[in-house]
Every structure is written in structure tokens, then in C-alpha cells.
Amino acid sequence: MNIFNFVYLLGGLAMFLFGMNFMGTSLEKLGGGKFESVLEKMTNSRIKGLLLGAGVTAVIQSSSAVTVMAVGFVNSKIMSLNQVIGIIMGANIGTTVTSWLLSLTGIESDNLFVSLLKPSSFTPIIALIGIVLYMSSKGEKRKNIGSIFLGFSLLMFGMESMSDAVAPLQNVPEFTSLLTKFSNPVLGVLAGAVLTAVIQSSSASVGILQALTVTGTITVGSAFPIILGQNIGTCITAAISSVGTSKNAKRTSVVHLAFNVIGAVLALALFYGINAVFTLPFIKTAVNAADIAIIHTVFNVFATAVLFPFGKQLEKLACLIIRKDDGEEKTALMDERFLLSASYAVEKLKQQCDKMAALSKDNVYLCIELVKKYSQSVDKRIAANEERLDAYEDELETYLVKINSLDLSSGDSVNLSKLSHAIGNFERIGDYAFNILKTKRKMHKDGISFSSNARNELEVMSKAVSEIVDKSVAAFISDDAVLAAEIEPLEQVIDNLKAELRARHSKRMENGECTIDNGILFFDIVNSLERIADHCSNLAVCIIELSQGDYHTHLYLQSIKNKVFTENFELYLEKYKIR
């Protein structure tokens, strides 16, 4: 093997790793976060978790991504530790699909139809189709399909290149003697674990081992412990991901490690125990890529079958290793592990924004209640909610920036822009609600009260503001552009209400029915209510402008908005008794 073979090997490895990553990322984009959503919603039993973990891993071609996501689920309290055990076991089975795909490179036959199954026969065609779809498609879905084809082609080209590059090593005695040492179970397990820990992908490390089989020097005795070590090495990704997480999230990575270590120990004991008694005749037989896939699959199915009934015991073991302390753990609103999937991260951000919307609505309602009559308990609830809204803004804005740095689909970009506007508007709604609270605190402290006319007018405006907040929050949560189009006419009414109420109160001040100090407090409340309506209007405009659809849809929504404004403006004025 000369320097050119070595360079060719590195190039093949680069194509192989990039192709695997590119294909997985494209599959994730095509799924739009649906794979993670399915895992989240359908794991109420361990057997379902096992099947879904295997299925999702087989699709996105990464057990590491699935186990890291499982750590995120537990850290965010979306799932319990017991629920994700099935997912972890299923991920180990699902990852064997990659080795079976790669085993196709080892097909050798004179039969035409069998030869067509060899990747070198069909990969160029898939690559051609992929590049045509990728470069000519305007639609994101077709472009992602093209990316999947390109990723698969690069993966297979890389595998073929590595196999061609290492083929001359069969004539190198030093290489043969090195591989013979891996027949030692301890060295084999360590070699597999270190290789996988370095590249952080068991699928990739198994692929590299499959490429080395073309040398004819990889035997069953040396491949078996290496594969077991590769399963242990893949735990490093989840372990790193669990740093700084909750106790249960750390326990998730411990379960993952314990499952693979115990499975490897049992498999080694069984395999070498049988060999010691019966002397297995095939232990020194050279293996090919398909044999590696078989060993990989048999081990993972074996480990899952043996340890599946002991899920609770694995959970107890993790709890013994990571003990509970007396300190209260704070759960972050958003888990950074969700950033592995941009679409899923956007979906989780939307869920938190929905909670923020409901919280801001609750604070407006509480402040309207406070306008009627001051209450110490309501005061405390509003203040607590305002702190939570500020925390929402800080965490969600920070997370939004992180999502924005990812490779987003056009749909995710639109949704992210909508969420960015929403976070700011909901926080400002909370601020103006808190301003009302401060005004009422001053009134309560100084023993100030409004006249019956002033109270009635504030109640009229409060009803209008309650309605616009209701419509805005509902339109945002359901992403209803038609409902959002009804908000602007009501905001115009509230603007008129503000002007009318200020005029009436100014007249009362002129007539000596109200003091200047009282008048300033009255204007403060009216201004805050009107500003709440303004931010509801901002939110509605954003929902309409960023609604999914073409130009005709936009015109339709605009016509609805104009129609609602024309027909209902007079009705609003009558409803809130401004005449």
C-alpha cells in the first residue's frame, strides 16, 4: 500500500462520512420533525418505544441522534426515564439497517440480476437523478429527495473507495498481524469502542470494518469483539449530551451505556464459553461485509431480547449510579438536544410560545379584574406571571437565535419569523398589564378611586381589550389568518375608545368632577389598555403576512379583513356604547 492508496482511503472515508451525514440531515428535513414527534407522542409502552426507536433510527440512519433526543425528552420532562428505555433498545436494532445497506457492496455474482444489486451498478443512476432533482427543483420536498439520493450515492461511493484503497493491505504482513491481535476479546472491544467514540457513529465505524473485510484478514474471532466495542463506543455521544442536564437525563445516558456494556459482557461470555467447550470451527474464518451485518444484527437483537424484560432493573441501576440529591432541579424551557432536528426544534418552540401566549392573556384578564377592584392575591399572581413572561422571552429568544443558525427549510424560516414577532409582542402585552398593576397599587396605597362614570367607561374598554386578546391568542395558537383578519377592525374601535374616554375624562376634570392626579392615573390605565390592543394588532398583521399561501390567498384574506372592518365597525361602536 503506497501513499496514493492512503490518500484514496482518506478521500473515501470523507465521502462516506459526509454522505451518511448529508443523507441523514436530508431525511430529517423531509420528515419535518415528524419522526421526533412520533417518538414523543407514542411511547406509552416499552414495546411501542422499542418499535418506534428502531423505525426512526432506521429512517434517519443515526442511533446517536435518537438517543441524544431521548436525553432531551427526559431532561425537558416530556418523557419519563422508563419510557425512553424502549427507545434506546430500539435504536440499537434500527442502526443495523445501515450495515445491511453497506453489505451490498460485497455482492459478487455472474448473474445479471444479482449484479444489479451491487451499488456500483445503480449508484451512478441514483446520483444522476439526485443532482437533477437537487439543482432543478424549486419545491423544497423534491430538493430534499434529491439530497437523499446524493447522500446515499456519496455513502456508497465512499464505501467502494475505502474497500478499493485497503485491498492491497492483504499482502502486508504487519497489517495482518495487527488484526490478529484484535482476536483478543479485550483488545477487540477496546479498539471498536475507541474508533466509534472518535467518529461518534457506530454505523460509520461498522462501515469502516466492512470495508476492511476486502483484505480477507478480518476473521469472525476478531470482528466479533470489535463490533461489541463499537456498540459501547456509540454511548459517548449521549454521555457528552447529558452533561449539565437533570438527574434523570443523566440516568438516560447511564441506561444506554449499561444496556450496551451488559449486552456485550453477556455476548462475550456466551460466545467464548461455547468456544471453550465445543471449539467453534468458524472462529478463524474470514468474513465479508454481509457477515459483519449479520454479527451486528444478531448481537443487537440478542442484547435487546435478553435485557428487554429487565427495563425496570436498568432504571434502578441508573438511579443507584446517579443518586438523587435534596436540591431542586430547574428544568429549562427548551432543550438544546432538540436542535439536532431544526423542524422539531421549531415545533417545540411553538409549543412554548403557545404557553407564553396563554400566560400573557391570563395576565391581561387578571389586570382587568384588578381595574374593577384591587386584590392583594391578584396583585401577587400578576407579578409572578410577569416574571415568568420575562423568563420566557429571555430563554425563547436565545433558543430562537440558535435555531436560526441551523439549515432551515423555507417553511421553518417562515414559522421562526412568526414566532420571533410573537415572543416580543406577548412580552410587551405582559409589560403593559404590569403597568396597570403599578397604577392600581398606587391608587390602593393612596386611597384613590374613580367616579362611577369613569369605572363604567373603563369596563367598556376592558371588554373590548378582552375580546381582542382572545382573538389574537386564538389566531396565533391555531395559526388562523382568517381569524387574525378580524383583529384590526377591533383595534381601530379601541383607538376610538381611547380618544373618546380621554375626551370625556378631560371634560370631567374641567368641570371639577375629577382631580388632575386622578386624571393622570385614569389616562395611564387607558393608554396601557390601548397599547395592549396595538400589540395584538401587530401579532395579527404578522400572522396574515406570513401565512402559508400564494398571492391570491393574501388577496382573499385582505378582502375578509376589509369586509369585517366595513360591516362590523358600526356594530362594535354600538356594542361598546360609544355613541
Side-chain angles (χ1 to χ4, degrees):
M1 185 177 182
N2 55 38
I3 186 65
F4 298 107
N5 290 105
F6 182 70
V7 172
Y8 196 48
L9 171 63
L10 293 179
L13 178 62
M15 279 197 297
F16 177 79
L17 294 174
F18 178 76
M20 179 172 287
N21 181 68
F22 191 57
M23 182 173 68
T25 302
S26 302
L27 282 163
E28 183 59 52
K29 280 188 182 178
L30 188 65
K34 292 184 178 67
F35 303 128
E36 290 80 7
S37 296
V38 168
L39 281 178
E40 178 186 338
K41 295 171 184 176
M42 298 181 65
T43 52
N44 53 341
S45 72
R46 198 180 304 151
I47 187 66
K48 282 185 181 179
L50 174 70
L51 296 174
L52 288 168
V56 172
T57 305
V59 171
I60 68 174
Q61 299 284 298
S62 176
S63 62
S64 296
V66 172
T67 51
V68 168
M69 196 66 71
V71 172
F73 288 148
V74 175
N75 191 51
S76 298
K77 297 185 178 178
I78 294 171
M79 289 185 187
S80 66
L81 178 59
N82 184 56
Q83 281 180 290
V84 299
I85 291 175
I87 294 175
I88 291 170
M89 293 180 175
N92 274 33
I93 294 176
T95 195
T96 62
V97 170
T98 308
S99 61
W100 283 107
L101 287 173
L102 295 175
S103 69
L104 295 175
T105 58
I107 291 177
E108 297 290 345
S109 176
D110 294 330
N111 186 291
L112 176 62
F113 294 104
V114 175
S115 297
L116 288 175
L117 294 174
K118 190 174 175 66
S120 58
S121 302
F122 62 82
T123 298
I125 299 172
I126 290 178
L128 180 62
I129 296 171
I131 197 64
V132 169
L133 287 173
Y134 184 79
M135 296 189 70
S136 64
S137 300
K138 294 183 179 179
E140 192 138 9
K141 183 176 181 181
R142 288 166 63 87
K143 189 179 285 288
N144 284 332
I145 292 173
S147 298
I148 293 168
F149 285 177
L150 285 171
F152 178 78
S153 302
L154 283 171
L155 176 70
M156 289 303 179
F157 275 128
M159 184 69 180
E160 294 273 2
S161 299
M162 286 194 296
S163 298
D164 292 341
V166 300
L169 288 173
Q170 60 186 317
N171 300 318
V172 180
E174 292 82 4
F175 179 75
T176 306
S177 62
L178 176 64
L179 290 181
T180 303
K181 293 178 181 178
F182 292 140
S183 298
N184 180 301
V186 176
L187 289 178
V189 169
L190 284 175
V194 170
L195 174 63
T196 308
V198 169
I199 62 177
Q200 294 196 27
S201 172
S202 62
S203 297
S205 62
V206 169
I208 293 170
L209 183 63
Q210 286 177 300
L212 288 172
T213 59
V214 298
T215 63
T217 55
I218 306 289
T219 64
V220 173
S222 58
F224 184 73
I226 292 174
I227 291 172
L228 268 57
Q230 287 169 335
N231 276 268
I232 294 172
T234 195
C235 299
I236 189 68
T237 309
I240 293 172
S241 172
S242 68
V243 174
T245 60
S246 66
K247 297 290 185 184
N248 269 346
K250 289 184 174 70
R251 289 169 186 149
T252 303
S253 64
V254 170
V255 167
H256 187 212
L257 178 62
F259 171 74
N260 282 292
V261 169
I262 294 171
V265 170
L266 291 175
L268 285 169
L270 182 64
F271 182 78
Y272 289 103
I274 293 174
N275 183 59
V277 176
F278 299 103
T279 310
L280 298 174
F282 56 80
I283 198 165
K284 293 185 179 180
T285 304
V287 295
N288 55 32
D291 295 329
I292 296 294
I294 291 171
I295 296 170
H296 191 214
T297 303
V298 169
F299 164 68
N300 282 292
V301 171
F302 164 78
T304 302
V306 171
L307 295 175
F308 185 79
F310 300 98
K312 289 185 178 179
Q313 285 72 23
L314 284 172
E315 183 179 359
K316 289 179 180 178
L317 175 62
C319 291
L320 283 173
I321 295 172
I322 307 294
R323 294 182 178 276
K324 187 176 181 180
D325 54 32
D326 297 329
E328 184 181 351
E329 290 184 319
K330 182 181 177 182
T331 302
L333 292 174
M334 298 294 298
D335 196 293
E336 295 206 7
R337 278 146 284 270
F338 298 152
L339 294 170
L340 285 172
S341 167
S343 295
Y344 186 68
V346 172
E347 181 185 327
K348 300 307 292 183
L349 183 64
K350 172 63 166 63
Q351 290 177 9
Q352 293 298 336
C353 285
D354 288 350
K355 294 178 182 178
M356 187 180 184
L359 189 60
S360 65
K361 173 183 170 181
D362 185 42
N363 243 19
V364 171
Y365 273 50
L366 289 171
C367 285
I368 287 172
E369 181 183 334
L370 204 67
V371 168
K372 297 176 184 177
K373 183 180 179 181
Y374 180 81
S375 166
Q376 189 70 37
S377 61
V378 174
D379 182 319
K380 290 180 179 179
R381 287 174 63 189
I382 295 170
N385 284 350
E386 172 61 14
E387 288 185 7
R388 289 176 61 197
L389 284 170
D390 288 342
Y392 266 109
E393 184 195 31
D394 289 342
E395 289 199 41
L396 298 188
E397 283 285 4
T398 301
Y399 200 81
L400 188 144
V401 171
K402 292 177 182 178
I403 297 176
N404 206 36
S405 66
L406 303 176
D407 186 11
L408 299 170
S409 66
S410 58
D412 287 335
S413 294
V414 169
N415 288 331
L416 205 62
S417 179
K418 199 180 300 182
L419 295 177
S420 178
H421 283 84
I423 291 168
N425 281 298
F426 287 134
E427 195 277 333
R428 293 300 291 155
I429 287 171
D431 284 346
Y432 284 110
F434 192 70
N435 285 348
I436 294 173
L437 168 63
K438 290 191 288 187
T439 301
K440 289 298 293 184
R441 279 176 177 173
K442 179 174 176 56
M443 292 177 64
H444 178 69
K445 180 182 177 182
D446 298 341
I448 298 172
S449 61
F450 294 133
S451 65
S452 59
N453 286 337
R455 289 196 300 271
N456 289 337
E457 289 167 1
L458 284 176
E459 186 171 354
V460 168
M461 190 166 186
S462 296
K463 287 179 181 178
V465 171
S466 296
E467 183 174 345
I468 199 171
V469 170
D470 267 343
K471 287 180 180 290
S472 300
V473 170
F476 172 75
I477 290 175
S478 60
D479 198 19
D480 189 342
V482 175
L483 179 59
E486 298 179 14
I487 292 170
E488 184 63 25
L490 183 51
E491 195 274 332
Q492 294 290 332
V493 172
I494 291 171
D495 283 346
N496 286 356
L497 273 169
K498 173 187 173 182
E500 179 67 21
L501 266 56
R502 286 178 66 93
R504 292 187 180 195
H505 204 69
S506 295
K507 190 173 182 180
R508 283 194 292 270
M509 290 168 63
E510 290 173 7
N511 296 335
E513 299 174 27
C514 177
T515 65
I516 293 177
D517 289 342
N518 282 19
I520 292 173
L521 295 172
F522 181 87
F523 292 151
D524 284 345
I525 293 175
V526 170
N527 288 339
S528 293
L529 288 171
E530 188 270 336
R531 292 298 293 155
I532 288 172
D534 284 347
H535 285 287
C536 289
S537 177
N538 292 344
L539 188 63
V541 170
C542 176
I543 293 170
I544 293 169
E545 290 182 351
L546 296 178
S547 61
Q548 300 291 339
D550 55 19
Y551 180 67
H552 296 291
T553 304
H554 178 73
L555 289 179
Y556 170 68
L557 292 172
Q558 191 63 35
S559 69
I560 290 177
K561 176 181 173 181
N562 293 336
K563 183 179 179 183
V564 170
F565 181 81
T566 303
E567 293 182 355
N568 289 356
F569 186 69
E570 291 298 326
L571 293 177
Y572 279 130
L573 294 178
E574 178 64 29
K575 178 178 180 180
Y576 294 113
K577 299 177 181 178
I578 299 304
R579 297 294 187 191

mmCIF file of all heavy atoms in Angstrom, residues 398-432:
data_model
loop_
_atom_site.group_PDB
_atom_site.id
_atom_site.type_symbol
_atom_site.label_atom_id
_atom_site.label_comp_id
_atom_site.label_asym_id
_atom_site.label_seq_id
_atom_site.Cartn_x
_atom_site.Cartn_y
_atom_site.Cartn_z
ATOM 1 N N THR A 398 -33.245 33.441 23.034
ATOM 2 C CA THR A 398 -31.916 32.839 22.933
ATOM 3 C C THR A 398 -31.971 31.562 22.103
ATOM 4 O O THR A 398 -31.120 31.322 21.234
ATOM 5 C CB THR A 398 -31.359 32.521 24.339
ATOM 6 O OG1 THR A 398 -31.293 33.726 25.102
ATOM 7 C CG2 THR A 398 -29.975 31.897 24.251
ATOM 8 N N TYR A 399 -32.984 30.743 22.365
ATOM 9 C CA TYR A 399 -33.141 29.478 21.630
ATOM 10 C C TYR A 399 -33.457 29.746 20.164
ATOM 11 O O TYR A 399 -32.987 29.040 19.269
ATOM 12 C CB TYR A 399 -34.253 28.661 22.277
ATOM 13 C CG TYR A 399 -34.189 27.185 21.943
ATOM 14 C CD1 TYR A 399 -33.323 26.345 22.634
ATOM 15 C CD2 TYR A 399 -34.995 26.633 20.964
ATOM 16 C CE1 TYR A 399 -33.260 24.997 22.351
ATOM 17 C CE2 TYR A 399 -34.938 25.282 20.664
ATOM 18 C CZ TYR A 399 -34.066 24.469 21.362
ATOM 19 O OH TYR A 399 -34.007 23.130 21.066
ATOM 20 N N LEU A 400 -34.261 30.791 19.920
ATOM 21 C CA LEU A 400 -34.635 31.141 18.548
ATOM 22 C C LEU A 400 -33.397 31.506 17.730
ATOM 23 O O LEU A 400 -33.280 31.128 16.559
ATOM 24 C CB LEU A 400 -35.627 32.306 18.580
ATOM 25 C CG LEU A 400 -36.278 32.701 17.254
ATOM 26 C CD1 LEU A 400 -37.731 33.131 17.496
ATOM 27 C CD2 LEU A 400 -35.523 33.834 16.582
ATOM 28 N N VAL A 401 -32.471 32.229 18.334
ATOM 29 C CA VAL A 401 -31.226 32.596 17.646
ATOM 30 C C VAL A 401 -30.439 31.334 17.278
ATOM 31 O O VAL A 401 -29.866 31.238 16.182
ATOM 32 C CB VAL A 401 -30.368 33.533 18.529
ATOM 33 C CG1 VAL A 401 -28.986 33.737 17.924
ATOM 34 C CG2 VAL A 401 -31.067 34.868 18.712
ATOM 35 N N LYS A 402 -30.417 30.358 18.181
ATOM 36 C CA LYS A 402 -29.698 29.108 17.912
ATOM 37 C C LYS A 402 -30.350 28.339 16.769
ATOM 38 O O LYS A 402 -29.655 27.778 15.908
ATOM 39 C CB LYS A 402 -29.659 28.241 19.174
ATOM 40 C CG LYS A 402 -28.802 28.830 20.288
ATOM 41 C CD LYS A 402 -28.851 27.976 21.540
ATOM 42 C CE LYS A 402 -28.017 28.601 22.659
ATOM 43 N NZ LYS A 402 -28.096 27.818 23.908
ATOM 44 N N ILE A 403 -31.680 28.309 16.740
ATOM 45 C CA ILE A 403 -32.377 27.623 15.648
ATOM 46 C C ILE A 403 -32.092 28.328 14.334
ATOM 47 O O ILE A 403 -31.904 27.698 13.295
ATOM 48 C CB ILE A 403 -33.902 27.578 15.906
ATOM 49 C CG1 ILE A 403 -34.227 26.783 17.170
ATOM 50 C CG2 ILE A 403 -34.629 26.962 14.706
ATOM 51 C CD1 ILE A 403 -35.701 26.780 17.533
ATOM 52 N N ASN A 404 -32.058 29.647 14.377
ATOM 53 C CA ASN A 404 -31.866 30.444 13.163
ATOM 54 C C ASN A 404 -30.511 30.181 12.516
ATOM 55 O O ASN A 404 -30.330 30.434 11.315
ATOM 56 C CB ASN A 404 -31.999 31.931 13.499
ATOM 57 C CG ASN A 404 -32.443 32.743 12.308
ATOM 58 O OD1 ASN A 404 -33.236 32.297 11.483
ATOM 59 N ND2 ASN A 404 -31.927 33.942 12.201
ATOM 60 N N SER A 405 -29.552 29.674 13.292
ATOM 61 C CA SER A 405 -28.232 29.380 12.745
ATOM 62 C C SER A 405 -28.191 28.026 12.039
ATOM 63 O O SER A 405 -27.194 27.687 11.394
ATOM 64 C CB SER A 405 -27.183 29.402 13.863
ATOM 65 O OG SER A 405 -27.419 28.347 14.788
ATOM 66 N N LEU A 406 -29.288 27.247 12.145
ATOM 67 C CA LEU A 406 -29.343 25.930 11.515
ATOM 68 C C LEU A 406 -29.750 26.053 10.053
ATOM 69 O O LEU A 406 -30.171 27.115 9.582
ATOM 70 C CB LEU A 406 -30.339 25.033 12.261
ATOM 71 C CG LEU A 406 -30.104 24.825 13.755
ATOM 72 C CD1 LEU A 406 -31.226 23.988 14.352
ATOM 73 C CD2 LEU A 406 -28.757 24.148 14.002
ATOM 74 N N ASP A 407 -29.642 24.953 9.342
ATOM 75 C CA ASP A 407 -30.073 24.899 7.945
ATOM 76 C C ASP A 407 -31.579 24.661 7.933
ATOM 77 O O ASP A 407 -32.046 23.537 8.115
ATOM 78 C CB ASP A 407 -29.338 23.762 7.226
ATOM 79 C CG ASP A 407 -29.635 23.738 5.738
ATOM 80 O OD1 ASP A 407 -30.231 24.718 5.244
ATOM 81 O OD2 ASP A 407 -29.291 22.734 5.080
ATOM 82 N N LEU A 408 -32.361 25.727 7.722
ATOM 83 C CA LEU A 408 -33.820 25.658 7.849
ATOM 84 C C LEU A 408 -34.497 25.514 6.500
ATOM 85 O O LEU A 408 -34.015 26.042 5.493
ATOM 86 C CB LEU A 408 -34.351 26.927 8.538
ATOM 87 C CG LEU A 408 -33.864 27.206 9.960
ATOM 88 C CD1 LEU A 408 -34.296 28.601 10.384
ATOM 89 C CD2 LEU A 408 -34.407 26.177 10.924
ATOM 90 N N SER A 409 -35.622 24.809 6.498
ATOM 91 C CA SER A 409 -36.470 24.786 5.308
ATOM 92 C C SER A 409 -37.187 26.126 5.201
ATOM 93 O O SER A 409 -37.235 26.902 6.157
ATOM 94 C CB SER A 409 -37.488 23.645 5.410
ATOM 95 O OG SER A 409 -38.405 23.895 6.466
ATOM 96 N N SER A 410 -37.785 26.402 4.035
ATOM 97 C CA SER A 410 -38.491 27.675 3.857
ATOM 98 C C SER A 410 -39.666 27.783 4.814
ATOM 99 O O SER A 410 -39.935 28.847 5.375
ATOM 100 C CB SER A 410 -38.970 27.810 2.414
ATOM 101 O OG SER A 410 -39.809 26.730 2.059
ATOM 102 N N GLY A 411 -40.356 26.661 5.024
ATOM 103 C CA GLY A 411 -41.491 26.663 5.949
ATOM 104 C C GLY A 411 -41.066 26.950 7.371
ATOM 105 O O GLY A 411 -41.724 27.715 8.088
ATOM 106 N N ASP A 412 -39.941 26.347 7.781
ATOM 107 C CA ASP A 412 -39.430 26.587 9.137
ATOM 108 C C ASP A 412 -38.976 28.036 9.300
ATOM 109 O O ASP A 412 -39.143 28.628 10.371
ATOM 110 C CB ASP A 412 -38.266 25.643 9.440
ATOM 111 C CG ASP A 412 -38.725 24.212 9.668
ATOM 112 O OD1 ASP A 412 -39.892 24.026 10.050
ATOM 113 O OD2 ASP A 412 -37.922 23.283 9.447
ATOM 114 N N SER A 413 -38.407 28.613 8.248
ATOM 115 C CA SER A 413 -37.972 30.012 8.308
ATOM 116 C C SER A 413 -39.154 30.945 8.517
ATOM 117 O O SER A 413 -39.082 31.897 9.305
ATOM 118 C CB SER A 413 -37.237 30.391 7.019
ATOM 119 O OG SER A 413 -36.029 29.674 6.895
ATOM 120 N N VAL A 414 -40.249 30.669 7.802
ATOM 121 C CA VAL A 414 -41.466 31.480 7.951
ATOM 122 C C VAL A 414 -42.003 31.355 9.367
ATOM 123 O O VAL A 414 -42.339 32.359 10.019
ATOM 124 C CB VAL A 414 -42.536 31.047 6.929
ATOM 125 C CG1 VAL A 414 -43.895 31.687 7.249
ATOM 126 C CG2 VAL A 414 -42.119 31.440 5.523
ATOM 127 N N ASN A 415 -42.081 30.124 9.859
ATOM 128 C CA ASN A 415 -42.599 29.900 11.213
ATOM 129 C C ASN A 415 -41.714 30.563 12.267
ATOM 130 O O ASN A 415 -42.211 31.116 13.250
ATOM 131 C CB ASN A 415 -42.707 28.403 11.498
ATOM 132 C CG ASN A 415 -43.840 27.750 10.735
ATOM 133 O OD1 ASN A 415 -44.839 28.399 10.424
ATOM 134 N ND2 ASN A 415 -43.704 26.479 10.417
ATOM 135 N N LEU A 416 -40.406 30.508 12.048
ATOM 136 C CA LEU A 416 -39.484 31.110 13.006
ATOM 137 C C LEU A 416 -39.651 32.628 13.043
ATOM 138 O O LEU A 416 -39.597 33.235 14.119
ATOM 139 C CB LEU A 416 -38.049 30.734 12.638
ATOM 140 C CG LEU A 416 -37.032 30.747 13.783
ATOM 141 C CD1 LEU A 416 -37.419 29.730 14.841
ATOM 142 C CD2 LEU A 416 -35.632 30.449 13.258
ATOM 143 N N SER A 417 -39.863 33.230 11.879
ATOM 144 C CA SER A 417 -40.087 34.680 11.827
ATOM 145 C C SER A 417 -41.367 35.048 12.575
ATOM 146 O O SER A 417 -41.405 36.037 13.325
ATOM 147 C CB SER A 417 -40.176 35.130 10.372
ATOM 148 O OG SER A 417 -40.403 36.508 10.284
ATOM 149 N N LYS A 418 -42.388 34.221 12.411
ATOM 150 C CA LYS A 418 -43.659 34.460 13.096
ATOM 151 C C LYS A 418 -43.485 34.350 14.613
ATOM 152 O O LYS A 418 -44.015 35.175 15.375
ATOM 153 C CB LYS A 418 -44.682 33.433 12.601
ATOM 154 C CG LYS A 418 -46.138 33.790 12.852
ATOM 155 C CD LYS A 418 -47.062 32.703 12.316
ATOM 156 C CE LYS A 418 -46.883 32.525 10.834
ATOM 157 N NZ LYS A 418 -47.812 31.508 10.277
ATOM 158 N N LEU A 419 -42.734 33.357 15.042
ATOM 159 C CA LEU A 419 -42.512 33.159 16.472
ATOM 160 C C LEU A 419 -41.681 34.293 17.069
ATOM 161 O O LEU A 419 -41.915 34.709 18.202
ATOM 162 C CB LEU A 419 -41.819 31.814 16.711
ATOM 163 C CG LEU A 419 -42.629 30.567 16.335
ATOM 164 C CD1 LEU A 419 -41.802 29.306 16.541
ATOM 165 C CD2 LEU A 419 -43.918 30.480 17.137
ATOM 166 N N SER A 420 -40.716 34.789 16.290
ATOM 167 C CA SER A 420 -39.892 35.900 16.756
ATOM 168 C C SER A 420 -40.756 37.133 17.036
ATOM 169 O O SER A 420 -40.603 37.792 18.074
ATOM 170 C CB SER A 420 -38.824 36.240 15.702
ATOM 171 O OG SER A 420 -38.047 37.339 16.114
ATOM 172 N N HIS A 421 -41.668 37.446 16.130
ATOM 173 C CA HIS A 421 -42.581 38.577 16.343
ATOM 174 C C HIS A 421 -43.487 38.318 17.544
ATOM 175 O O HIS A 421 -43.753 39.220 18.344
ATOM 176 C CB HIS A 421 -43.442 38.808 15.097
ATOM 177 C CG HIS A 421 -42.719 39.507 13.990
ATOM 178 N ND1 HIS A 421 -41.930 38.839 13.086
ATOM 179 C CD2 HIS A 421 -42.650 40.821 13.655
ATOM 180 C CE1 HIS A 421 -41.412 39.703 12.230
ATOM 181 N NE2 HIS A 421 -41.832 40.913 12.545
ATOM 182 N N ALA A 422 -43.962 37.081 17.652
ATOM 183 C CA ALA A 422 -44.916 36.750 18.715
ATOM 184 C C ALA A 422 -44.291 36.895 20.095
ATOM 185 O O ALA A 422 -44.914 37.449 21.006
ATOM 186 C CB ALA A 422 -45.437 35.325 18.518
ATOM 187 N N ILE A 423 -43.059 36.418 20.260
ATOM 188 C CA ILE A 423 -42.401 36.470 21.576
ATOM 189 C C ILE A 423 -42.319 37.909 22.071
ATOM 190 O O ILE A 423 -42.658 38.212 23.221
ATOM 191 C CB ILE A 423 -40.998 35.832 21.496
ATOM 192 C CG1 ILE A 423 -41.110 34.314 21.283
ATOM 193 C CG2 ILE A 423 -40.209 36.113 22.780
ATOM 194 C CD1 ILE A 423 -39.791 33.656 20.906
ATOM 195 N N GLY A 424 -41.879 38.809 21.192
ATOM 196 C CA GLY A 424 -41.770 40.217 21.574
ATOM 197 C C GLY A 424 -43.103 40.845 21.907
ATOM 198 O O GLY A 424 -43.237 41.586 22.897
ATOM 199 N N ASN A 425 -44.123 40.533 21.107
ATOM 200 C CA ASN A 425 -45.444 41.125 21.346
ATOM 201 C C ASN A 425 -46.098 40.604 22.615
ATOM 202 O O ASN A 425 -46.707 41.369 23.366
ATOM 203 C CB ASN A 425 -46.358 40.873 20.137
ATOM 204 C CG ASN A 425 -46.080 41.836 18.992
ATOM 205 O OD1 ASN A 425 -46.228 43.047 19.129
ATOM 206 N ND2 ASN A 425 -45.665 41.306 17.855
ATOM 207 N N PHE A 426 -45.952 39.330 22.884
ATOM 208 C CA PHE A 426 -46.543 38.778 24.113
ATOM 209 C C PHE A 426 -45.848 39.345 25.357
ATOM 210 O O PHE A 426 -46.497 39.601 26.374
ATOM 211 C CB PHE A 426 -46.460 37.254 24.115
ATOM 212 C CG PHE A 426 -47.426 36.598 23.173
ATOM 213 C CD1 PHE A 426 -47.021 35.570 22.322
ATOM 214 C CD2 PHE A 426 -48.752 37.002 23.112
ATOM 215 C CE1 PHE A 426 -47.900 34.970 21.445
ATOM 216 C CE2 PHE A 426 -49.647 36.396 22.237
ATOM 217 C CZ PHE A 426 -49.218 35.386 21.396
ATOM 218 N N GLU A 427 -44.540 39.537 25.249
ATOM 219 C CA GLU A 427 -43.818 40.103 26.385
ATOM 220 C C GLU A 427 -44.263 41.548 26.627
ATOM 221 O O GLU A 427 -44.433 41.970 27.774
ATOM 222 C CB GLU A 427 -42.308 40.036 26.111
ATOM 223 C CG GLU A 427 -41.433 40.256 27.345
ATOM 224 C CD GLU A 427 -41.207 41.726 27.661
ATOM 225 O OE1 GLU A 427 -41.257 42.547 26.714
ATOM 226 O OE2 GLU A 427 -40.994 42.055 28.834
ATOM 227 N N ARG A 428 -44.465 42.314 25.554
ATOM 228 C CA ARG A 428 -44.906 43.696 25.705
ATOM 229 C C ARG A 428 -46.334 43.780 26.233
ATOM 230 O O ARG A 428 -46.670 44.677 27.025
ATOM 231 C CB ARG A 428 -44.807 44.427 24.357
ATOM 232 C CG ARG A 428 -43.401 44.613 23.857
ATOM 233 C CD ARG A 428 -42.545 45.415 24.819
ATOM 234 N NE ARG A 428 -42.951 46.804 24.909
ATOM 235 C CZ ARG A 428 -42.748 47.600 25.942
ATOM 236 N NH1 ARG A 428 -42.150 47.120 27.028
ATOM 237 N NH2 ARG A 428 -43.139 48.846 25.930
ATOM 238 N N ILE A 429 -47.170 42.839 25.826
ATOM 239 C CA ILE A 429 -48.529 42.783 26.380
ATOM 240 C C ILE A 429 -48.450 42.599 27.897
ATOM 241 O O ILE A 429 -49.160 43.250 28.668
ATOM 242 C CB ILE A 429 -49.338 41.637 25.730
ATOM 243 C CG1 ILE A 429 -49.723 42.022 24.290
ATOM 244 C CG2 ILE A 429 -50.604 41.315 26.537
ATOM 245 C CD1 ILE A 429 -50.337 40.894 23.494
ATOM 246 N N GLY A 430 -47.546 41.698 28.321
ATOM 247 C CA GLY A 430 -47.342 41.490 29.753
ATOM 248 C C GLY A 430 -46.836 42.740 30.455
ATOM 249 O O GLY A 430 -47.246 43.043 31.582
ATOM 250 N N ASP A 431 -45.952 43.481 29.780
ATOM 251 C CA ASP A 431 -45.413 44.722 30.375
ATOM 252 C C ASP A 431 -46.519 45.743 30.627
ATOM 253 O O ASP A 431 -46.559 46.386 31.689
ATOM 254 C CB ASP A 431 -44.356 45.337 29.453
ATOM 255 C CG ASP A 431 -43.037 44.587 29.506
ATOM 256 O OD1 ASP A 431 -42.855 43.769 30.433
ATOM 257 O OD2 ASP A 431 -42.199 44.797 28.608
ATOM 258 N N TYR A 432 -47.414 45.913 29.645
ATOM 259 C CA TYR A 432 -48.482 46.902 29.810
ATOM 260 C C TYR A 432 -49.508 46.453 30.844
ATOM 261 O O TYR A 432 -50.095 47.278 31.554
ATOM 262 C CB TYR A 432 -49.153 47.205 28.466
ATOM 263 C CG TYR A 432 -48.294 48.097 27.606
ATOM 264 C CD1 TYR A 432 -47.675 47.617 26.459
ATOM 265 C CD2 TYR A 432 -48.073 49.427 27.966
ATOM 266 C CE1 TYR A 432 -46.863 48.428 25.689
ATOM 267 C CE2 TYR A 432 -47.256 50.245 27.197
ATOM 268 C CZ TYR A 432 -46.664 49.746 26.063
ATOM 269 O OH TYR A 432 -45.848 50.569 25.316
#
